[in-house]
Amino acid sequence: MGPLKISENVSLAPFATWKIGGEARFFARANPENIAEALDFAKRMSLRMLVLGRGSNVLINSGKIDALVVQIVQKNPPKVDLNRGEAFAEAGTLLQALVQAYAACGARGFEKLAGIPGSVGGAVFMNAGVLNPAECSISDLFLSGGFLSEKGEIVELSRGDMNFGYRKSVLFDKPLIALSARFKVGEIVGAEPLKREIRQTVLTRLSKQPQNRKNAGSVFKAAEGGVAAGILIDKCGLKGRRRGGAMVSFKHANWIENLGGATSADVLGLISEIKEEVFKKFGAELREEVRMFGF
Ligand SMILES: Cc1cc2nc3c(=O)[nH]c(=O)nc-3n(C[C@H](O)[C@H](O)[C@H](O)COP(=O)(O)OP(=O)(O)OC[C@H]3O[C@@H](n4cnc5c(N)ncnc54)[C@H](O)[C@@H]3O)c2cc1C
């Protein structure tokens, strides 16, 4: 990838797993080496700069987005260094490439996160992970990361600086762009058992999820006390509830599917309806896990 290529009036729908999203006034794909150019451009044009990973956890506004939207991509593949007991990945690396890199070295670490889509940067931002069979998230292995500040400075944050919590990090409050991260390497157990474990984890996930449907995974976080939002939504009889092209999945009540042509307004309408009904029936306040983008 050479100098940054900035395009005008780009539809963002193809960049989100929900396949929902309007046009960004400017769009670019950037890696850690040319992201500073994007920041300069946004400053010169007095535009907001919005950062996208692989769009697997965002509801993108279907209207016009007056911003420079930058998708963070990888320049170099992830590296696992068994001698140092550390791995390094750029933010644009697919999380699954990191899962595979650990497994190829026979090192424990990311196998429980097998099957989670998205980039390493998005996973760090969200503190992506699983609650079942045991709680496990990217923060368990995170050592430190390199981030770009609004002023264009590179800032190094350690695990302690990240304020990781259940599907959240300090990046919710600080406008920092994740560029790269270092992770711990776990016990060396050999490649074959890890590959088997990963295959099984992926199969189990697939059996619970609607296939070939456009979605963004879980829409809501677990409710207070760790109760799965999907159970509450299901008990309200909301599976199959529709708004325009958006529908509460029959297979997994915490997922909203885009049946085709859904807009962000359809999904937002469904989200409000779900929250209202769950509150009326259980007094539980659901909070969105998906992030609103470009509103
Ligand atoms: C089928 C499916 C299954 C899923 N299962 C799980 C699961 O089991 N567990 C789980 O935790 N999640 C799950 N998700 C949600 C999603 O995959 C994760 O949250 C993922 O980590 C998001 O990464 P992304 O690159 O797609 O981020 P995006 O969706 O592109 O962005 C998410 C947020 O991170 C910000 N961001 C992205 N990259 C950067 C960066 N480099 N610097 C700063 N901010 C950044 C964006 O601005 C946005 O606010 C699932 C999604 C789908 C579609």
Side-chain angles (χ1 to χ4, degrees):
M1 185 184 282
L4 192 73
K5 182 172 169 273
I6 299 177
S7 309
E8 262 181 276
N9 302 325
V10 174
S11 166
L12 296 180
F15 300 104
T17 54
W18 243 328
K19 303 298 175 214
I20 294 172
E23 271 186 5
R25 184 163 159 212
F26 294 102
F27 176 82
R29 287 198 163 109
N31 62 47
E33 282 176 21
N34 58 16
I35 179 83
E37 280 180 55
L39 199 59
D40 283 347
F41 178 85
K43 271 191 197 150
R44 273 201 314 277
M45 301 287 292
S46 306
L47 281 170
R48 323 189 258 170
M49 183 165 123
L50 302 175
V51 174
L52 197 58
R54 297 297 169 135
S56 63
N57 205 47
V58 281
L59 177 62
I60 301 181
N61 184 358
S62 292
K64 272 260 180 202
I65 300 170
D66 190 21
L68 166 63
V69 173
V70 177
Q71 185 184 40
I72 307 292
V73 293
Q74 160 194 307
K75 184 161 167 64
N76 300 297
K79 277 193 212 119
V80 181
D81 184 338
L82 294 183
N83 294 325
R84 291 173 64 120
E86 275 184 32
F88 173 88
E90 291 178 3
T93 305
L94 286 178
L95 178 61
Q96 292 313 301
L98 195 56
V99 170
Q100 293 300 336
Y102 269 67
C105 295
R108 280 210 175 280
F110 278 104
E111 64 281 1
K112 303 266 186 309
L113 307 192
I116 301 180
S119 65
V120 167
V124 169
F125 181 99
M126 290 304 304
N127 191 19
V130 291
L131 290 176
N132 290 311
E135 198 168 335
C136 169
S137 59
I138 198 159
S139 58
D140 299 345
L141 299 168
F142 183 92
L143 292 170
S144 69
F147 299 85
L148 185 69
S149 76
E150 280 182 314
K151 289 185 185 154
E153 291 160 348
I154 303 287
V155 183
E156 175 98 0
L157 298 185
S158 67
R159 187 170 187 273
D161 300 321
M162 291 296 294
N163 285 347
F164 282 123
Y166 167 48
R167 302 295 168 267
K168 65 174 188 184
S169 72
V170 75
L171 304 180
F172 279 38
D173 307 314
K174 286 195 176 166
L176 293 172
I177 300 170
L179 299 179
S180 63
R182 289 166 52 243
F183 299 99
K184 256 189 292 192
V185 166
E187 192 191 353
I188 309 296
V189 293
E192 279 319 306
L194 285 174
K195 285 183 182 164
R196 273 199 301 277
E197 221 174 288
I198 286 170
R199 215 173 303 126
Q200 194 48 54
T201 302
V202 171
L203 286 175
T204 308
R205 289 177 72 88
L206 292 178
S207 70
K208 293 180 190 159
Q209 301 175 353
Q211 300 304 310
N212 307 319
R213 299 297 181 103
K214 302 168 197 111
N215 65 75
S218 294
V219 173
F220 299 101
K221 296 185 183 195
E224 280 300 301
V227 184
I231 293 180
L232 301 180
I233 299 167
D234 191 9
K235 284 188 174 163
C236 289
L238 292 171
K239 278 183 172 175
R241 178 71 63 92
R242 279 182 71 162
R243 271 280 180 118
M247 185 188 81
V248 177
S249 172
F250 281 105
K251 185 102 186 244
H252 194 313
N254 195 14
W255 290 33
I256 291 179
E257 297 173 8
N258 173 4
L259 301 175
T263 63
S264 55
D266 294 338
V267 175
L268 286 174
L270 212 42
I271 285 177
S272 308
E273 222 172 304
I274 293 169
K275 286 169 95 166
E276 222 172 272
E277 301 234 2
V278 167
F279 187 74
K280 236 194 289 165
K281 191 165 172 88
F282 298 104
E285 280 188 42
L286 291 183
R287 293 159 301 143
E288 291 87 331
E289 179 172 322
V290 290
R291 306 288 300 170
M292 300 302 143
F293 191 95
F295 287 88

